[in-house]
Each structure stands twice: as C-alpha cells, then as structure tokens.
C-alpha cells in the first residue's frame, strides 16, 4: 500500500491518500483549503489514475473537512465519518470565525456514517475502524493490519495527544481510548497522525509524556 501525505491549510493538517496495486484509493481527512492545495490533490489523483472509492474522516473539526465540498463537486465523493461528530459541521463557520478567517466553502453533509468495528475496503486493502472518543465525541482511527500502520487523526501524535478543550472533548475519554484501543496494537505499528510526523505505537508507549504504562 502506498501512503501519500499532503500538508494542508493554516493548521498544517495531514491529508493522506492511500492506494494499492489495483489503483483503487481512499482519502483520509481532506483538509485542502486554498485553491492551490485543491489543485495539488486533484493533480495527484488524476496523474496517478487513481480510482478513489472513499473519502473518510477521522473527525469533523474544520481543518480536516475543508476539502470535502471540493471533492464532492469535482469527483462526486461524499465524505463518511462518525454520526457523533455531525454537529460539528454546522458549527464550521463559527469555528472559522473563532480562528480569525472565513470558511472557504459551505460545509456539505456526510454521505454516510462509519463507526468503530466497521471496515473500509478499497482494492485488496482493508482498514479497520477504531472508535476513539476524546478529542471529539466521534473520533476515529483507521488501522491497516496487513501494512502495520494506523491513521490516528488528532488523537495521538508523536510525543503528544490531541487537545480536549474544544466542544465535545474529554481528556479522560481520550486517555482511555489511546491506552485501551491503540496501545494494545503491536509496537511496530506506524502511526500517521493528523498533524506532524509519523511515530509508532511502541515509541509512544515508551516515550509519550502523557502516559505511564503501569496505569491501566
């Protein structure tokens, strides 16, 4: 499986395009805000002749959904995410104003829901969906067991965790989500977060200052 990372918008959000040998693909967290970012993503998809099967969201905070209207309009893709986060879409204009800028386009409704325990499929690849409430009520991660990699959204970062001071956030829930649903994965699983550089489950278990592995 090929993992292509794009760093988009004023929050330096990581958008990932995953594809395999069948040329089928999924997009995770389309944060493209500026026209040149949209063009960059379009050029990559078309230039590599990718057949994008799904647009999926780890959560629905503004910086992770800026590109959803563009992909709906240009490629007919309707994003999927957790139903528990849907309320955030209606608050996107307010979120933008809070951070001092205008929304680039009006948000579009999700095309369907995905929740923990479900599976996203493209080509010969499967992504297991893991529910991770805490950063947002409907936070999700996508785990490819075959490729030993995880897309953690804004729940787990290299040496840090997601903020919980936004509406619906809860620190205790986030802590439990990471310890009981991510730290049980093999240590060699590579973690691709919603911001910043990749890490691994083992590295975070040993080094992340928010966790002491004797606390269960």
């Amino acid at each position: 499986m090929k993992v292509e990372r794009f760093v988009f918008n004023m929050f330096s959000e990581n958008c990932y395009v995953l594809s395999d040998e069948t040329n089928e693909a999924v997009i995770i967290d389309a944060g493209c805000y500026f026209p040149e970012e949209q063009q960059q993503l379009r050029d990559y998809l078309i230039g590599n002749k990718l057949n994008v099967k799904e647009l999926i969201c780890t959560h629905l905070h503004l910086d992770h959904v800026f590109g959803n209207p563009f992909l709906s309009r240009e490629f007919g893709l309707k994003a999927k995410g957790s139903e528990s986060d849907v309320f955030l879409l209606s608050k996107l204009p307010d979120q933008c104003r809070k951070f001092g800028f205008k929304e680039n386009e009006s948000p579009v409704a999700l095309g369907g829901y995905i929740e923990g325990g479900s599976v996203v499929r493209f080509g010969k690849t499967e992504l297991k969906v893991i529910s991770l409430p805490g950063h947002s009520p409907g936070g999700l991660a996508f785990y490819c067991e075959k490729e030993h990699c995880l897309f953690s959204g804004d729940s787990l970062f290299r040496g840090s965790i997601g903020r919980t001071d936004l509406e619906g956030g809860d620190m205790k829930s986030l802590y439990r989500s990471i310890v009981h649903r991510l730290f049980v994965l093999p240590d060699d699983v590579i973690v691709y977060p919603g911001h910043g550089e990749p890490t691994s489950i083992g590295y975070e278990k040993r080094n992340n200052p928010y966790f002491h592995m004797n606390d269960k």
Side-chain angles (χ1 to χ4, degrees):
M1 181 180 73
K2 182 178 182 180
V3 178
E4 188 73 16
R5 179 178 71 148
F6 298 87
V7 181
F8 286 147
N9 68 58
M10 57 289 289
F11 296 97
S12 297
E13 177 266 351
N14 290 332
C15 167
Y16 298 99
V17 179
L18 317 183
S19 57
D20 67 13
E21 65 270 26
T22 69
N23 266 27
E24 290 191 356
V26 299
I27 301 170
I28 299 175
D29 290 351
C32 43
Y33 178 92
F34 299 104
E36 56 268 28
E37 294 175 343
Q38 296 175 356
Q39 185 66 46
Q40 183 184 9
L41 183 57
R42 180 195 290 114
D43 288 348
Y44 179 79
L45 299 176
I46 294 175
N48 288 279
K49 300 179 180 179
L50 296 180
N51 176 15
V52 182
K53 306 301 291 184
E54 300 280 7
L55 167 58
I56 53 179
C57 305
T58 61
H59 63 296
L60 301 181
H61 284 152
L62 71 171
D63 51 327
H64 292 255
V65 301
F66 281 140
N68 289 2
F70 160 72
L71 288 171
S72 175
R73 183 177 63 252
E74 293 290 320
F75 295 94
L77 295 169
K78 298 294 185 180
K80 294 181 180 178
S82 171
E83 187 173 9
S84 298
D85 267 8
V86 167
F87 75 98
L88 292 169
L89 291 177
S90 64
K91 296 178 180 291
L92 192 144
D94 291 335
Q95 292 180 52
C96 289
R97 282 191 290 271
K98 176 181 177 182
F99 287 102
F101 56 86
K102 295 181 179 180
E103 58 184 319
N104 59 337
E105 296 188 63
S106 297
V108 293
L110 295 182
Y113 302 128
I114 46 177
E115 305 293 347
S118 59
V119 177
V120 175
R121 295 179 174 86
F122 64 99
K124 299 179 179 179
T125 305
E126 292 188 350
L127 303 176
K128 297 181 179 179
V129 183
I130 300 173
S131 177
L132 294 178
H135 175 64
S136 71
L140 303 172
F142 304 110
Y143 175 45
C144 184
E145 185 174 8
K146 182 178 69 172
E147 300 287 341
H148 297 275
C149 65
L150 173 89
F151 300 85
S152 63
D154 286 3
S155 294
L156 181 64
F157 301 118
R158 183 175 178 86
S160 189
I161 60 175
R163 61 189 294 181
T164 57
D165 59 332
L166 301 174
E167 185 175 355
D170 183 81
M171 177 61 76
K172 290 183 179 179
S173 294
L174 181 59
Y175 183 93
R176 289 193 297 266
S177 292
I178 294 171
V179 170
H180 297 295
R181 297 181 181 177
L182 296 188
F183 283 177
V184 297
L185 299 175
D187 282 1
D188 66 348
V189 169
I190 300 299
V191 178
Y192 294 97
H195 302 267
E197 296 303 313
T199 183
S200 71
I201 292 295
Y203 180 89
E204 298 311 314
K205 286 166 64 175
R206 294 187 299 270
N207 299 289
N208 194 303
Y210 286 89
F211 301 97
H212 301 278
M213 294 312 297
N214 290 327
D215 299 334
K216 297 291 185 179

